[in-house]
Amino acid sequence: MSQGSQTALTGPVMCIVGARPNFMKMAPILRALAAHQPPLASLLVHTGQHYDQGMSHQLFEDLGLPRPEINLEVGSGSHAVQTAEVMRRFEPALDEHKPSCVLVVGDVNSTLACTLVAVKKGVPVAHVEAGLRSWDRKMPEEINRVLTDQVADRLYTTERSAADNLLREGVAAERVCFAGNVMIDSLLANRDKARSAADTLRAHGADPALLGHPAGYAVVTMHRPSNVDDAVTLRSLLEVLREVSTRLPLVFALHPRTRSNIDRFGLGGLTDPARMVMLPPQGYLEMVGLMAGATMVLTDSGGLQEETTALGVPCLTMRENTERPITVEQGTNTMVGRDPAAILQGVTDILEGTGKRGRVPELWDGRAAERIAADLWHWLRAGAA
């Protein structure tokens, strides 16, 4: 525990969520803290970083998350503005509630912002999903990951290679605990509750008969600035997706950023409504149902790389790198970048049955949150001794 840390076990574990990926990771952790014997008191803080409060509400409902005790209502903004505003609004909450530690997940701006406030005030920080690296410093998430791991006190990893990354960066091995993947805890807990793909299409006025294509269907998500903020790149990707749609229908869950840029760049003509179902952002249970029934997923999302591996669904990742290499080495994920030929070859391989089958990685067993709660209890007790 870092020098100056407050005495442990004097207050709740302050759990931070800010954007959509955090919700899936935090839900099983909160349940595990409550179920631990003895229970660990928790206090949920929603920074309000996620721009769509309606979608946030639906995700809380889908995941069985309690309503947050504190909502900082930060909203959107540039990375600098958003990070600074989270810090400004989080500090009084930290001072008021005097937590035993702050627990952060993932790599969004709220993760780093709350970590910085806590460590500067001597409050221990635990980081769940530590040590993942894309080695691409142009990704804002990579900066958040690296900096959070450098100053956090307890680091929980999802795959063994993450510990090697941390050791190379000078993080002491005794600060690191291999716990498994809490994202998969949520997936396994909710798979039976997932909404069917047909029901999801009906809810948005689309014909579910599309799903009965002989080749099945593919799910598409795309939101990263490197893919959607440049007109030439976005046009190229939409053109190749249009070609893919001649082989099997696509269900495209459109991120608001992507939809806005399609409109801004005048690229709407590249989306064929007969073969490409364009949906608004979907709830968690809808996305699980769509993925579970898909022939393949094409995405630039980190979380979907993990979820498809756990579901055994082939995934083509339209990025040049990944911070989740285990999904490539052991799972169903293939990196195809933004090269149209590589994307089309990946689709061909899957349709011809030569794509990756993969396996579920070590400790992706639905019990990662239990291991985190047990370790956190012992770690905080040791800090209080």
Side-chain angles (χ1 to χ4, degrees):
M1 202 168 290
S2 61
Q3 288 186 348
S5 294
Q6 293 178 356
T7 303
L9 300 178
T10 57
V13 177
M14 186 173 268
C15 299
I16 311 299
V17 295
R20 179 184 174 116
N22 299 162
F23 305 152
M24 286 83 91
K25 296 164 190 172
M26 194 61 76
I29 292 171
L30 290 172
R31 286 192 290 271
L33 294 177
H36 185 269
Q37 293 301 322
L40 286 96
S42 63
L43 188 148
L44 183 60
V45 178
H46 187 358
T47 67
Q49 176 183 328
H50 199 284
Y51 56 85
D52 186 340
Q53 294 305 317
M55 182 59 69
S56 293
H57 177 76
Q58 183 178 353
L59 286 167
F60 272 80
E61 293 295 319
D62 287 350
L63 293 163
L65 270 168
R67 303 311 300 164
E69 286 90 344
I70 299 170
N71 192 327
L72 302 180
E73 299 182 339
V74 167
S76 60
S78 70
H79 287 286
V81 167
Q82 195 173 68
T83 302
E85 193 62 20
V86 172
M87 293 178 71
R88 187 181 72 82
R89 298 190 187 197
F90 178 60
E91 184 174 30
L94 189 73
D95 290 341
E96 178 182 354
H97 293 280
K98 298 179 172 54
S100 296
C101 77
V102 169
L103 188 146
V104 296
V105 295
D107 53 22
V108 301
N109 289 338
S110 296
T111 302
L112 176 60
C114 293
T115 295
L116 290 173
V117 172
V119 296
K120 287 193 173 191
K121 297 183 79 70
V123 178
V125 172
H127 182 207
V128 175
E129 205 181 70
L132 297 181
R133 297 290 182 269
S134 69
W135 312 113
D136 181 1
R137 291 292 180 95
K138 295 189 296 293
M139 292 177 62
E141 298 91 343
E142 183 79 352
I143 303 302
N144 292 342
R145 286 189 284 263
V146 171
L147 296 179
T148 298
D149 287 340
Q150 278 297 311
V151 296
D153 299 275
R154 194 66 173 157
L155 298 106
Y156 295 105
T157 59
T158 61
E159 55 183 82
R160 291 195 181 274
S161 67
D164 297 332
N165 296 338
L166 293 168
L167 288 172
R168 278 194 294 270
E169 293 170 4
V171 176
E174 58 267 24
R175 288 166 57 193
V176 181
C177 174
F178 176 38
N181 194 332
V182 292
M183 179 77 90
I184 307 308
D185 290 13
S186 275
L187 182 68
L188 297 179
N190 289 286
R191 185 173 179 178
D192 290 344
K193 305 174 193 171
R195 303 196 173 103
S196 74
D199 285 348
T200 296
L201 263 61
R202 283 192 199 95
H204 295 282
D207 186 358
L210 202 70
L211 305 175
H213 189 278
Y217 67 94
V219 171
V220 181
T221 76
M222 198 163 61
H223 74 282
R224 293 197 176 272
S226 57
N227 279 346
V228 306
D229 282 4
D230 177 76
V232 174
T233 301
L234 182 56
R235 172 182 286 278
S236 174
L237 288 170
L238 289 173
E239 286 174 344
V240 75
L241 289 172
R242 185 183 177 99
E243 188 169 347
V244 172
S245 75
T246 65
R247 307 186 65 183
L248 78 171
L250 307 184
V251 179
F252 201 147
L254 265 182
H255 191 280
R257 182 187 200 111
T258 309
R259 181 179 289 280
S260 173
N261 284 338
I262 288 173
D263 294 340
R264 183 161 66 99
F265 300 140
L267 300 176
L270 296 175
T271 62
D272 184 346
R275 302 192 301 262
M276 302 169 72
V277 179
M278 313 301 277
L279 301 179
Q282 294 299 295
Y284 180 66
L285 297 180
E286 285 84 1
M287 279 304 299
V288 172
L290 286 169
M291 287 190 294
T295 301
M296 68 186 79
V297 172
L298 296 96
T299 189
D300 58 12
S301 161
L304 265 62
Q305 294 172 49
E306 296 178 327
E307 290 170 327
T308 49
T309 279
L311 290 168
V313 174
C315 179
L316 301 177
T317 296
M318 298 178 291
R319 285 169 49 185
E320 303 302 326
N321 50 57
T322 179
E323 65 282 357
R324 293 162 168 85
I326 200 167
T327 65
V328 176
E329 296 160 4
Q330 298 182 21
T332 61
N333 187 21
T334 300
M335 305 298 296
V336 292
R338 290 180 282 273
D339 176 28
I343 294 169
L344 292 172
Q345 186 60 55
V347 171
T348 296
D349 291 344
I350 294 168
L351 291 178
E352 293 182 353
T354 59
K356 285 185 181 179
R357 295 190 180 276
R359 64 180 176 87
V360 177
E362 181 184 8
L363 297 190
W364 289 26
D365 57 1
R367 301 187 63 186
E370 295 175 31
R371 288 186 285 269
I372 289 169
D375 179 84
L376 194 65
W377 166 254
H378 290 294
W379 176 67
L380 289 172
R381 282 191 67 193

